[in-house]
Amino acid sequence: MSRGDGDHERFAHYVQKDKIMASALDGTPVVALCGKVWVPGRDPKKYPVCPMCKEIYESMGAGGDKDKGGKDK
């Protein structure tokens, strides 16, 4: 599990939408599909999507029971 180092810093990551909201309110760290743990603070639109997060998200299939469509960096 990455904790804010290396190539993970160069990407926007997929995170559960409710977790992003909670982090914005109280500053708790979030966990991306790829395992990166961090407190979001950058505009994810400025970064390419993490290839590992994208692969995991796509393997889950559209309309799965887990709502992990949010992106954040």
Side-chain angles (χ1 to χ4, degrees), residues 21-39:
M21 294 297 291
S23 179
L25 293 173
D26 60 22
T28 56
V30 295
V31 180
L33 290 179
C34 67
K36 175 183 164 74
V37 178
W38 84 110
V39 176

Side-chain angles (χ1 to χ4, degrees), residues 28-63:
T28 56
V30 295
V31 180
L33 290 179
C34 67
K36 175 183 164 74
V37 178
W38 84 110
V39 176
R42 297 182 181 173
D43 182 358
K45 295 175 186 172
K46 294 181 180 180
Y47 299 89
V49 174
C50 168
M52 191 180 302
C53 280
K54 185 175 182 179
E55 182 179 333
I56 295 167
Y57 177 73
E58 289 173 352
S59 74
M60 292 168 62

Side-chain angles (χ1 to χ4, degrees), residues 12-24:
H13 297 272
Y14 284 101
V15 175
Q16 288 179 320
K17 290 179 183 180
D18 61 328
K19 302 295 183 187
I20 294 171
M21 294 297 291
S23 179

